[in-house]
Amino acid sequence: MAEISIELRNVTKIFDGDFVAVNNVNLSIEKGEFFSLLGPSGCGKTTILRMISGLEEPTKGEVILNGRVINDLPPNKREVNTVFQNYALFPHLTVFENIAFSLRIKRKSEAEIKKKVMDMIDLMRLNGHENKKPSQLSGGQKQRVAIARALVNEPSVLLLDEPLAALDAKLRQHMLIELDNIHDEVGITFIYVTHDQSEALSISDHLAVMNEGKIIQVGTPVQVYESPANLFVANFIGETNFIQGIVEKVEGNYILLKTEKLGEIWCYRDFEVKIGEKINVSIRPEKLKITIEKPSEEVLKNSFVNVFKGIVSERIYLGTHSNYIVSIDQGYQMKVYRQHIRYLLDENIIDWNDEVYVWWFADDSYLIKD
Amino acid sequence: MERTKRFLGFVLSFPGIIWLTLFFLLPTTIIVVYSFMTPGPYGGAYLPFTLKYYKMMITNQGFWILFMRTVVISVISTGICLALALPVAYYIATSKYKNFLLSLVIIPFWTNFLVRIFGWLVILGNNGLINRVLMYLHIIDKPVSLMYNQWSVILVIVYMYLPYMILPLYSSIEKFDFHLLEAAMDLGASRTKTIFSVLLPSIKGGISAGIVLVLIPVLGSYAIPDLVGGKDGAMLGNLIARQLTTARNWPLSSAISMIFLLISTVGLLVYLKFGEVRNRRNRVIYEDYIKEETNKIG
Amino acid sequence: MDKEFNVLGKRRFSFIMTLLIMIFFYLPIAMLIALSFNSARQGVIWTGFTLKWYSVLFRDDEIWRAFLNTVIIALTSSTVATAIGVLSAIGIYWHNFRLKRYFQALIYTPLIVPDILMGVSMLMFFVSLRIQLGLFTIFIAHVTFSISYVILIVIARLEDFDYSIIEAAQDLGASWYQIFFKIIIPMIKPAIIASFLLSITLSIDDFVITFFVAGPGSTTLPLQIYSMIKFGVSPEINALSTLLIGATFIISIFGLRFRKLIFS
């Protein structure tokens, strides 16, 4: 078991006496990991971050840093630093002085300040910008100053509150890779708050999905994406097709589900189910196959395959792939993604109004409790 | 931490709260209380409480004449200010040289209050510019009295308060998105109709701010009617001062002042409602300065 | 911008109005300047150039005394008003304490009440408390009407900044004391300078309130000008007016330019 860096025990935060922002949250974050809090806006993720930094006090419960309860420690006494969403750089100080701020507060010697700040400037590749004011920097540079300013003090945990939200899409990708490198370099715990599922999936060691003040699921990105704990997680992280049904038959590792929308479908038995139980199945659009021809005999030999006929009711071409909405005979609209590997060569182009087959193996779906 | 901040916030505001309570709220309350009291022989106000001076105000014909004159002068002056300020603010806001034109409006505005009134005495006086010019042109052969009437008061009020009207109008016209005019004209409206139906409604805030900024201080005018109004141009402000200093009737003076207190309260509500608590006096120029500094820093 | 001019039309009417208003604004000022160099004792007829009214003015002890009083009041009242106003603005910004609504009403009302109301109420207040009218009462009055302006300017400036800047400073280890001196004060420096300058301007210009709360021996320049206008116009006043107008011009230009000297 790895050492624990931050632990939250039964933490609740109530604002103005009646708004429950965080509801009885338990969480432990390992030392040195990159942990993300993911959820829609207003789900309480930023409040958790602010309770760790000390900017908010928990109404109930304990915040524990390196084995010590820090509830009563003011933010200026915590070994935790924050990168704020809008950078919050001091407008009247230069880049150098912004980074040096916490060292000057601690009355470090001039030589030490100079060395540490310059190290940070090197690490963040801010060389040549030392004497600029924040207003003279680009968004990405401001971001790097904010990170450098938070890291120079060598905190044991770095908190990042949607740090990439203000950047444009391209730069965001770039900064994400850079953040990952910085994390490898400094080796401390990073807690990253975001509402963007692709950011959280791509960078985290573990992530917690939150909704309405509660933690819904904690796990690795693969666990959370492939085995969502409930409908909310499945829906919030990535696109999916939900089908509700009643268990009709159990055959070894597979079950036959009787659904209103698609009739009978085979699903993998991800957990114990009883016959007659109401259950949901999530089928990710990228796991569905879409073809003009009927699937080959070889495929159909597999008894746990689901094949449906339908008509393409919408197609969105996105370069790397196309998103289809296929109207299945019974009237159910299914989302299907199709990669374009050999698009203009020998790939069969499927377009609007084409009659198609949509099919998937029972193993590719995932059951979710109702 | 939160508690410390709350405490510090209170401590920091404390001197300001105390100062304004002691030297603004308390004196204003004194006026309210004194207006119900009995005058002393050498000023001051004493018990018993009485409504005598309110009754006197309501029944005295001389007071009503003065009151009506004050209202009429103020409303006419404010109306003239608005009528003159609209085209000027519009021109400045749409000009390439708006900063230069704006400073031309602000400089006289910054010039000493009394000096500017005095300038008009020199123009309107019996020996003044207008009489001299008219005599030179043989339109008149002896000086006519241009001062000490209501019209000279209105003229000088308009002169003094026009910038108070131009500046808020300017800032709301400047914020106006002129593409809306394009859109309206594109939809077939004529230019005049566009200005009246699109521009004017969108600068309502500026217009009401301007009216409040001009009307309320003008109602309380003292120096202008005192210097250019004479007997026929006197206003309520002069009556208050006379009751206070010459007649030494503090309660009556306070009772009349209550009118201004009421008007100010209504004005404050209008003012707060329309948001723009700014632009009174020279603030505009400092605001530009702050804005530039802000851009530089952050 | 050019495109907008099409929409606006030629703006002939508004141009003529602006031109006339500018003449209206500057005619009295120009008259005073011209007359201050006119040798005639009375009237507007030009009888020759002279500087004698200026030399009379400079030898006038009363003017010098009034000038000195004005400077003393302006400097002291703006310093105190700026200090109190800046602290109050930061206090309000830091926290919504219980008295905040009351305080806001207290800040806005002085901006709107007519000067005469403030003057009369203060006079009654000081006399009732048996406080000797003089420079001290003028000082109190000037601080009172300046504070509201200072608070508004500083609050506007503070609101330009995101509160997370304060949180960032806390997060980086600063105490409230350090946040005050190392973050807030430097950040609002332009607003502090601007409110100080504005308070000075308001103080130098005020006539009505000063008129009521002044006592013997505490004449300020506006009061001096008033009595010169009221009790016998001497050409000296033209010279004084011209100097004040000149000072206004210089301050205006300085006010627009000086920032470069301080903040480069």
Side-chain angles (χ1 to χ4, degrees), chain B residues 1-2 4-6 8-10 12-13 15-17 19-28 30-31 34 84 87-88 90-92 94-96 101 103-105 107-108 110-115 118-123 127-129 132 155 158-159 162-163 166 178-179 181-182 185 191 212 216-217 220 222-223 226-227 237 240-241 244 250 253-254 257 260-261 264 267-268 271-272 277 280-283 285-286 289-290 292-294 296-297, chain C residues 1 3-9 11 13-15 17-18 21-22 24-29 31-32 35 42-45 84 87-88 90-92 94-95 97 99 102-103 106 108-118 120-125 127-128 140 143-144 147 149 152-153 157 160 163 170 176 180 190-191 193-194 197-198 201-202 204-205 207 211-212 222 225-226 229-230 233 237-238 241 244-245 248-249 251-252 256 258-259 263:
Chain B
M1 208 63 192
E2 199 50 39
T4 326
K5 190 174 84 174
R6 187 187 292 258
L8 282 173
F10 179 73
L12 290 179
S13 313
I17 294 180
W19 189 287
L20 288 178
T21 306
L22 205 58
F23 298 119
F24 178 72
L25 187 66
L26 202 57
T28 312
I30 282 183
I31 282 199
Y34 281 7
L84 296 179
V88 176
Y90 175 77
Y91 185 80
I92 296 178
T94 55
S95 164
K96 272 185 227 168
L101 290 171
S103 18
L104 282 187
V105 176
I107 289 173
W110 269 27
T111 307
N112 190 285
F113 187 74
L114 289 170
V115 167
F118 179 58
W120 282 102
L121 291 173
V122 172
I123 292 175
N127 250 331
L129 182 69
R132 281 292 159 189
L155 174 73
V158 169
Y159 178 74
L162 191 51
I166 294 178
F178 279 92
H179 294 298
L181 289 192
E182 279 177 23
M185 286 169 74
R191 176 168 295 124
V212 171
I216 291 180
Y222 168 71
D226 186 55
L227 290 172
I240 294 177
L244 181 68
W250 285 26
S253 182
S254 303
S257 301
F260 292 135
L261 198 57
S264 309
L268 183 70
Y271 207 46
L272 289 178
V277 184
R280 197 176 160 190
R281 293 237 170 169
N282 340 36
R283 253 202 89 190
I285 204 157
Y286 290 115
Y289 158 76
I290 294 173
E292 274 184 41
E293 281 312 312
T294 312
K296 222 179 288 166
I297 293 186
Chain C
M1 198 63 203
K3 226 174 138 195
E4 282 169 15
F5 278 91
N6 294 331
V7 194
L8 302 174
R11 301 180 304 152
F13 173 70
S14 58
F15 170 72
M17 283 301 287
T18 309
I21 293 296
M22 291 302 169
F24 176 58
F25 274 163
Y26 285 92
L27 179 70
I29 294 175
M31 281 292 297
L32 292 179
L35 288 181
Q42 266 206 330
V44 291
I45 295 169
I84 293 179
L87 293 181
S88 299
I90 296 172
I92 291 174
W94 264 1
H95 205 72
F97 45 89
L99 289 171
Y102 161 72
F103 197 23
L106 208 52
Y108 287 129
T109 328
L111 296 174
I112 201 92
V113 300
D115 288 353
I116 181 139
L117 184 64
M118 228 189 198
V120 167
S121 64
M122 284 211 177
L123 171 65
M124 292 184 185
F125 172 76
V127 172
S128 302
I140 297 227
V143 173
T144 309
I147 284 182
Y149 289 98
L152 284 192
I153 291 177
R157 170 75 174 157
D160 281 346
Y163 191 77
Q170 260 179 284
W176 286 110
F180 185 83
I193 294 171
L197 289 176
L198 178 58
T201 324
L202 292 173
I204 293 177
D205 198 34
F207 162 70
F211 176 74
F212 285 100
I225 296 170
Y226 177 76
I229 297 174
K230 198 93 183 172
V233 176
I237 186 178
N238 295 332
S241 301
L244 282 173
I245 294 164
T248 309
F249 269 82
I251 291 173
S252 311
L256 293 168
F258 82 110
R259 56 178 177 264
F263 289 100

Side-chain angles (χ1 to χ4, degrees), chain C residues 32-50:
Chain C
L32 292 179
I33 297 174
L35 288 181
S36 75
F37 299 108
N38 187 3
S39 61
R41 197 157 212 327
Q42 266 206 330
V44 291
I45 295 169
W46 184 260
T47 52
F49 181 86
T50 178

Side-chain angles (χ1 to χ4, degrees), chain C:
Chain C
M1 198 63 203
D2 280 333
K3 226 174 138 195
E4 282 169 15
F5 278 91
N6 294 331
V7 194
L8 302 174
K10 291 204 179 79
R11 301 180 304 152
R12 227 177 278 122
F13 173 70
S14 58
F15 170 72
I16 292 167
M17 283 301 287
T18 309
L19 194 68
L20 290 176
I21 293 296
M22 291 302 169
I23 295 171
F24 176 58
F25 274 163
Y26 285 92
L27 179 70
I29 294 175
M31 281 292 297
L32 292 179
I33 297 174
L35 288 181
S36 75
F37 299 108
N38 187 3
S39 61
R41 197 157 212 327
Q42 266 206 330
V44 291
I45 295 169
W46 184 260
T47 52
F49 181 86
T50 178
L51 284 175
K52 73 175 168 200
W53 308 122
Y54 288 89
S55 80
V56 171
L57 182 73
F58 283 120
R59 275 181 274 125
D60 188 333
D61 287 343
E62 271 181 44
I63 295 283
W64 279 110
R65 218 170 296 132
F67 175 73
L68 192 65
N69 284 341
T70 300
V71 170
I72 291 171
I73 298 281
L75 289 180
T76 52
S77 72
S78 0
T79 309
V80 173
T82 307
I84 293 179
V86 167
L87 293 181
S88 299
I90 296 172
I92 291 174
Y93 177 71
W94 264 1
H95 205 72
N96 290 317
F97 45 89
R98 225 170 291 151
L99 289 171
K100 185 168 173 172
R101 287 206 80 96
Y102 161 72
F103 197 23
Q104 273 171 337
L106 208 52
I107 294 165
Y108 287 129
T109 328
L111 296 174
I112 201 92
V113 300
D115 288 353
I116 181 139
L117 184 64
M118 228 189 198
V120 167
S121 64
M122 284 211 177
L123 171 65
M124 292 184 185
F125 172 76
F126 289 133
V127 172
S128 302
L129 288 181
R130 312 227 185 292
I131 296 172
Q132 184 74 46
L133 297 180
L135 283 185
F136 178 66
T137 49
I138 300 177
F139 159 80
I140 297 227
H142 286 204
V143 173
T144 309
F145 66 65
S146 299
I147 284 182
S148 299
Y149 289 98
V150 176
I151 295 177
L152 284 192
I153 291 177
V154 176
I155 284 186
R157 170 75 174 157
L158 282 167
E159 277 170 357
D160 281 346
F161 295 111
D162 205 301
Y163 191 77
S164 60
I165 288 175
I166 307 294
E167 293 186 334
Q170 260 179 284
D171 186 66
L172 293 166
S175 62
W176 286 110
Y177 178 81
Q178 285 162 324
I179 291 173
F180 185 83
F181 284 105
K182 295 197 169 181
I183 304 294
I184 292 186
I185 294 292
M187 250 171 26
I188 58 170
K189 201 163 91 182
I192 297 177
I193 294 171
S195 15
F196 183 71
L197 289 176
L198 178 58
S199 307
I200 287 190
T201 324
L202 292 173
S203 168
I204 293 177
D205 198 34
D206 180 70
F207 162 70
V208 176
I209 298 173
T210 314
F211 176 74
F212 285 100
V213 299
S218 63
T219 304
T220 61
L221 271 186
L223 295 185
Q224 184 70 29
I225 296 170
Y226 177 76
S227 66
M228 284 165 90
I229 297 174
K230 198 93 183 172
F231 310 106
V233 176
S234 129
E236 224 182 308
I237 186 178
N238 295 332
L240 179 58
S241 301
T242 304
L243 289 179
L244 282 173
I245 294 164
T248 309
F249 269 82
I250 292 167
I251 291 173
S252 311
I253 291 160
F254 189 61
L256 293 168
R257 296 276 159 83
F258 82 110
R259 56 178 177 264
K260 281 173 191 119
L261 299 174
I262 300 175
F263 289 100
S264 55

